[in-house]
Amino acid sequence: MNVPATGMEACPGVFVTGTDTDVGKTLVSAILAKAWGADYWKPYQTGVASLPGDTETVAALLGPEGGHVLHAPACVLQAPLAPWAAARAEGVTLEMAGLRPPRTAAPLVVEGAGGLYVPVDDDHMMIDLAARLALPVVLVARSTLGTINHTLLSLRALRAQALPVMGVVMNGPPSPGNREALERFGQVPVIAEIPRLERVDAASVAVAAARIPALAVLARAVRSAG
């Protein structure tokens, strides 16, 4: 099901995915956008019937400063389901083959929906979108018990499709043992650890962003590894 990136112009930035849903992708996406002065785009947004969209959440977390551009989703769906299932419930036909990234002057942080094997349409999964956009992947993982299995499986799936992995962001209480295991057995750097925040707001995002390595440094490491 992998879609080659042939014909798609790679843009600087990253594709943020997770080992699971509700693992912290939106918070991490906001932190990365703040750290790198990046734009933000979530192509497929679901679940707006019950919760605010992630684009609105990221806008609040970035605050009014920084000049970030938040690009509108390609598709917004009501039910808190995978895009494929939510679209079917609304009688909407999704075709990932027609998706094009927005043109940006800044780096672009793209947030996926759910994990890598969440279906987008009848023929494609979220991992296929990562391949199509030709961006290195940042994998968001929980720091707590169970993360080793979920994260290593996700890394194996990415490597099976020859997708470049920039690194893992661990979200939750610090766990030195889990970090060591992920870096050793996953052969990937943990580029950040985001502890449980007392308040999730623009100020806390700015503090976390100050600890993120520069995008150019991480991108060079990906090229060297490739």
Side-chain angles (χ1 to χ4, degrees):
M1 287 183 292
N2 186 36
V3 178
T6 304
M8 295 288 291
E9 183 179 353
C11 53
V14 296
F15 184 87
V16 178
T17 190
T19 57
D20 197 357
T21 192
D22 293 330
V23 75
K25 295 187 304 299
T26 302
L27 173 61
V28 170
S29 294
I31 291 170
L32 297 181
K34 173 65 76 172
W36 299 333
D39 293 353
Y40 170 86
W41 183 45
K42 178 151 187 162
Y44 298 103
Q45 174 68 63
T46 65
V48 298
S50 56
L51 293 170
D54 291 334
T55 304
E56 290 76 16
T57 299
V58 170
L61 293 177
L62 290 176
E65 299 179 357
H68 306 277
V69 177
L70 284 78
H71 301 273
C75 185
V76 177
L77 299 161
Q78 300 299 308
L81 302 170
W84 170 78
R88 291 181 66 184
E90 294 183 35
V92 174
T93 300
L94 295 183
E95 294 183 0
M96 198 192 76
L99 188 72
R100 293 291 183 272
R103 294 186 177 275
T104 66
L108 183 64
V109 172
V110 181
E111 182 184 350
L116 291 167
Y117 278 90
V118 166
V120 175
D121 59 21
D122 286 343
D123 301 305
H124 302 102
M125 302 287 183
M126 200 58 60
I127 194 170
D128 300 314
L129 177 58
R132 181 172 182 79
L133 295 176
L135 292 171
V137 173
V138 171
L139 180 64
V140 182
R142 291 184 176 86
S143 64
T144 49
L145 186 66
T147 193
I148 296 173
N149 179 67
H150 294 341
T151 306
L152 295 184
L153 284 173
S154 295
L155 291 171
R156 177 170 289 191
L158 289 165
R159 287 174 176 144
Q161 301 285 11
L163 298 182
V165 179
M166 183 170 283
V168 171
V169 173
M170 297 177 69
N171 196 23
S175 176
N178 282 343
R179 175 173 184 155
E180 180 184 9
L182 294 182
E183 291 188 322
R184 176 176 180 177
F185 298 107
Q187 294 296 296
V188 67
V190 172
I191 61 176
E193 293 180 84
I194 310 300
R196 194 178 305 280
L197 303 178
E198 291 185 11
R199 297 184 61 181
V200 181
D201 56 16
S204 61
V205 163
V207 169
R211 303 189 183 103
I212 300 295
L215 177 59
V217 172
L218 295 173
R220 281 197 297 271
V222 171
R223 289 194 294 270
S224 298

